[in-house]
Amino acid sequence: MAMRLWRAFLATATVLASGAPAAMAQSSVTPMPARATRFADKPAIAFGTAWYPEQWPESRWDADLAWMKEAGFNTVRIAEFAWSTMEPREGEFHFEWLDRAIAAARRHGIMVVLGTPTAAPPAWLTQKYPDVLRVDEDGTRATHGGRRQFSFASQRYRDFARRIATKMAQRYGNNPDIVGWQIDNEIGPPSFGKEAISRWHAFLKERYGSIDNLNQRWATEYWSQHYNDFDQIPLHATGQQNPALLLDFKHFTTATWTDYVMNQASAIRAHADPRQFITTNTMFWNGGFDHFKLHRGLDLAAWDNYIQDADPDWVANGADHDLVRGYKQRNFWLMETQAGRVDWVPVNRALKPGQVREMGWQAIAHGADAILYWELRPARNGQETYYGTVLGQDGTPAPIFDEIAKLGSEIRKASDALADTNPVYRMAMLFSYDSRWAIDLQRLHKDFDPIDEFTDFYRPFRNGSQGVAVLSPSADLSAYPLVVAPALNVMTQEEADHLSAYVRAGGNLVLGPRSGMKDDADALWPERQPGPLQPLLGARVEQFYALDEPVQLAGDFGEGEASIWAEWLKPQSKDVRIRARYADPGGWLDGKPAIVSRKVGKGSITYIGAWLEPAAMRDVAQQLMDDAGVRPMIPNVPEGVEIGERSGAGKHILIAINHGDSPKPVAIPANALPVAGEVANDMLRGHGVAVFRVPAGN
């Protein structure tokens, strides 16, 4: 049975492998291939580390690079914090050391990603021009000595940032050892100084056109908030402000950070070989700006994946990988990940033996074409000396070195098989930054965390389908038979029309609680939920309830519980099918519909009105996947085992990962050819990995 299912999956893998032409329309940049770089003579999978040659005697460089080669590294990222070394005094540039560092990497066969150093301005800059420093919401101006202390709105700072980026691009833009550029480092903190306020007012004027339109969209008659001029509008990120203002603050930070990044990207592009990619590295579930919008002008997405717990939630971590890949709908770079431990959680335990390798393979299964560890060696002093590293401060291997070297050896062996392949997805989920922000601003229940809710939906669908694309609500959905939007709280009319067209053309859309409540100014739709999708659903939310104790429900899927949130759904069309009802004796919800579905055109729409407990969510998800014909790659895998597939260029790669401590059985397809890892008698050891190539026609 497993073999027949596998043949069926291979027949459709090329169609379902992501990287559709629709992704290209989001950006004017040349699309990246499904490999680490645009350089045909470079490795398909980048594997390496962050290296800081400026922190060590030059006499030590070759020894460090030799250890990198021993670990299997083929890539280093350098210079992202080296501004004071490049420009020790205003206008005095010193790149000779960087020339020699790049040349040393070349001698060892290691390619280079250059970081622009603007996350950490030099002391001369912040001392002479204190106006470039960030101002916090309480009016406190940042001081020198940390990082990211600059104002993202400062034109002076942007000019200095553009100048150093231009100098670097002029010098290294046609160096064949440089395969790509990273803009800044982990952008995020906003500023509230005079320049930010001025940009805020200009942003609102551009967005709304007239103050009358803003007053109407924001409903400023409430609490006498009416404005006569854009200059009257305060700049706030928190507090008891109009939700429209707070949501537009997020739109403003998105636009400002995007402009900040593109200021440097355009300077580099003016001088760089078009084969050199440009990206920036983001952080896990970072809600500071809309990542889909920021990445439109970049060549690829990159992120920093740090595991806070020695017993990681691998499903949640996979969701974040899928989200990052969704920014461009193309493979991504894991620009930073830990070599064992971090240094900023209450108990900084190291990952268990095998987990660093395991999490590396998970990243590749979800579409990473690069894995870089932070960092090679700890600096002898500084704020991050306790981070896990590949080498100790004495320059000899740390205990994690052998595990990383094993992963490096496997990646080298698997590189040709993985080249030009993308993850295969059976369905999609929609993630909306506007919806996340709007719910966070007005949770109504302390535990209604939109990230937790997304993950609770993602978990059973990922386990059941073994491939979930995470996309923006405006993405092309035509390749996916099932699309789930857990909490599409903010919904524009254009998005509603897009989703309606998807359903009528044959797609199966699933909405979660709190969907279709607000527009993009965070105002209630005139219609009750799901707002502009109410006619398509043929039902509405009669009322919603924050729950202080679980509520029972039962229906097609069986019986289960809802917690945190529940909505009373009321059919308005006769063809609406009630899939589940609440059992709440003496309560508002007793006997009321909890889940409804309706067939529309060639497809269907389903509304799940409650935050379901895990067992109920699993059963409902399985039913919806069965209805849509979504099947896993390998059925009946044990709990804790993750299955991923990459496909392309006529190749089908299976990656099986055991995230548990004990051996687990895995039914590998017959005639699958081992590429890396270990399976003995169909058993995958604890924290083990197995990579196979499945021949066409099997």
Side-chain angles (χ1 to χ4, degrees), residues 380-496:
R380 292 189 60 242
N381 211 332
Q383 286 89 328
E384 297 174 308
T385 55
Y386 285 109
Y387 248 89
T389 53
V390 182
L391 304 179
Q393 66 268 31
D394 63 354
T396 63
I400 198 63
F401 182 92
D402 289 344
E403 185 174 325
I404 289 174
K406 181 177 181 179
L407 175 59
S409 176
E410 292 173 333
I411 288 175
R412 186 169 59 252
K413 293 175 184 176
S415 184
D416 288 344
L418 293 166
D420 305 310
T421 65
N422 294 285
V424 175
Y425 299 122
R426 306 298 170 193
M427 56 172 290
M429 290 180 64
L430 305 183
F431 184 81
S432 160
Y433 280 93
D434 271 13
S435 295
R436 172 190 176 175
W437 295 328
I439 291 174
D440 262 338
L441 289 170
Q442 297 172 302
R443 286 194 177 187
L444 299 185
H445 190 299
K446 62 183 178 61
D447 294 329
F448 203 118
D449 184 318
I451 302 303
D452 289 346
E453 195 223 11
F454 185 91
T455 304
D456 280 2
F457 268 75
Y458 175 92
R459 190 178 306 277
F461 282 110
R462 177 59 177 82
N463 288 339
S465 69
Q466 297 169 355
V468 176
V470 178
L471 308 173
S472 76
S474 61
D476 182 359
L477 307 175
S478 59
Y480 306 100
L482 178 63
V483 171
V484 179
L488 200 55
N489 184 253
V490 171
M491 185 184 301
T492 65
Q493 185 63 56
E494 291 77 13
E495 289 168 346

Side-chain angles (χ1 to χ4, degrees), residues 288-311:
F289 50 88
D290 187 325
H291 291 56
F292 291 105
K293 292 180 179 178
L294 181 132
H295 280 87
R296 287 175 181 170
L298 298 175
D299 295 299
L300 56 83
W303 79 295
D304 298 346
N305 182 200
Y306 288 109
I307 310 297
Q308 304 176 48
D309 193 329
D311 188 19

Side-chain angles (χ1 to χ4, degrees), residues 651-662:
K651 297 174 289 189
H652 302 280
I653 309 303
L654 166 68
I655 301 172
I657 306 169
N658 182 0
H659 293 282
D661 295 328
S662 59

